[in-house]
């Protein structure tokens, strides 16, 4: 590779390994868009939202049942997240629309929402617990999505945490997870669902109406 980002072999992977989901009424472009853009070799919150939207459509169609919702996030979305992190590390995907140090993560947003929700009312872990690498992150990252995200950020970014991730550091000062979660939900709506550069690529129809900006989170 001659540059920091964009290993062109990603295009071969993208072409050979896209999912064929014939039971989905959505264009085949949409599931493929969940794994990044093969031309630009980038990945960001818009691609992540495409995957969540595909899951939402399956729920609207009755393929995913209400009793499956927990597993959809805890198993399916977690596996998707692991897969995408692996692709980002192997092919050095360029962050699409990253806010740099003023973003949660160069690539993802939803795992912070799901992860903070998972920790609401936890007896011992507080938002400030993310700074406890030895006792908390090392021992519980595999159980809690938010902690896994923090651990990954600390692994791939160098330097002091408040310097390379000031927003995440600010969130650690919030008194409880419920406030963290509600703040992230509002931020996601403004920074992702209401951003024209992201949503003008989106496919709308009878399952997802163009005016329903909260569709992704209304199910899960």
């Amino acid at each position: 590779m001659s540059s920091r980002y964009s290993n062109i072999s990603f295009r071969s992977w993208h072409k050979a390994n896209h999912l064929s989901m014939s039971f989905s009424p959505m264009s085949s472009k949409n599931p493929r868009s969940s794994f990044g853009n093969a031309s630009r070799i980038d990945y960001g919150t818009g691609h992540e939202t495409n995957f969540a939207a595909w899951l939402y459509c399956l729920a609207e169609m009755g393929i995913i049942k209400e009793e499956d919702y927990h597993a959809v996030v805890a198993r399916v979305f977690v596996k998707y997240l692991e897969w995408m992190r692996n692709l980002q590390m192997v092919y050095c995907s360029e962050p699409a629309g990253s806010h740099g140090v003023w973003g949660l993560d160069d690539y993802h947003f939803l795992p912070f929402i799901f992860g903070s929700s998972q920790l609401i009312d936890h007896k011992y872990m507080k938002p400030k617990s993310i700074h406890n690498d030895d006792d908390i992150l090392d021992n519980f990252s595999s159980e809690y999505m938010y902690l896994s995200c923090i651990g990954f950020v600390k692994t791939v970014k160098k330097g002091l945490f408040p310097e390379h991730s000031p927003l995440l550091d600010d969130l650690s000062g919030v008194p409880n997870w419920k406030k963290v979660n509600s703040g992230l939900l509002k931020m996601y709506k403004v920074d992702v669902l209401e951003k024209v550069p992201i949503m003008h690529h989106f496919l709308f129809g009878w399952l997802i109406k163009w005016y329903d900006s909260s569709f992704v989170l209304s199910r899960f």
Side-chain angles (χ1 to χ4, degrees):
M1 290 174 57
S2 59
S3 62
R4 178 183 176 190
Y5 294 116
S6 306
N7 187 324
I8 60 173
S9 59
F10 174 74
R11 291 171 181 162
S12 299
W13 178 92
H14 196 273
K15 182 178 181 180
N17 292 280
H18 69 271
L19 299 180
S20 177
M21 302 173 179
S22 58
F23 52 83
S24 174
M26 304 172 72
S27 164
S28 60
K29 172 187 174 184
N30 217 40
R32 288 185 67 184
S33 296
S34 303
F35 302 98
N37 184 282
S39 298
R40 298 190 302 269
I41 314 180
D42 64 5
Y43 176 88
T45 52
H47 303 104
E48 177 187 69
T49 302
N50 265 280
F51 186 75
W54 176 68
L55 294 176
Y56 171 87
C57 287
L58 297 184
E60 284 289 279
M61 294 166 62
I63 297 172
I64 293 176
K65 309 297 184 183
E66 186 171 354
E67 58 267 27
D68 300 324
Y69 288 176
H70 181 271
V72 166
V73 175
R75 301 293 294 273
V76 178
F77 186 83
V78 166
K79 184 59 65 175
Y80 165 76
L81 179 62
E82 292 173 356
W83 195 0
M84 295 316 306
R85 283 175 175 167
N86 185 52
L87 291 177
Q88 291 151 18
M89 298 298 289
V90 171
Y91 296 107
C92 302
S93 305
E94 184 172 359
S98 171
H99 292 287
V101 298
W102 298 109
L104 291 174
D105 181 290
D106 284 338
Y107 300 100
H108 295 282
F109 201 123
L110 287 176
F112 291 94
I113 294 177
F114 295 143
S116 58
S117 176
Q118 185 184 18
L119 287 163
I120 290 176
D121 297 328
H122 196 286
K123 290 184 178 180
Y124 306 108
M125 291 188 200
K126 307 299 180 185
K128 64 182 180 181
S129 298
I130 66 167
H131 299 296
N132 191 334
D133 290 4
D134 295 332
D135 293 335
I136 301 298
L137 292 186
D138 290 349
N139 293 321
F140 297 101
S141 290
S142 61
E143 297 180 39
Y144 296 98
M145 198 183 308
Y146 193 95
L147 300 181
S148 174
C149 291
I150 297 296
F152 185 76
V153 168
K154 289 187 175 184
T155 299
V156 298
K157 294 189 176 183
K158 306 302 180 183
L160 298 176
F161 187 73
E163 293 180 358
H164 64 62
S165 301
L167 182 55
L168 290 174
D169 187 62
D170 288 346
L171 289 174
S172 70
V174 176
N176 58 69
W177 290 110
K178 188 173 183 178
K179 287 189 175 182
V180 171
N181 184 254
S182 63
L184 289 174
L185 286 169
K186 294 175 183 177
M187 184 177 172
Y188 183 75
K189 183 177 180 182
V190 172
D191 286 356
V192 179
L193 298 181
E194 294 182 356
K195 289 295 184 183
V196 173
I198 294 176
M199 300 310 293
H200 85 278
H201 294 291
F202 225 76
L203 300 177
F204 294 95
W206 64 275
L207 284 173
I208 301 178
K209 305 297 191 297
W210 69 269
Y211 53 81
D212 186 6
S213 62
S214 61
F215 65 90
V216 172
L217 302 170
S218 65
R219 284 283 185 178
F220 313 118

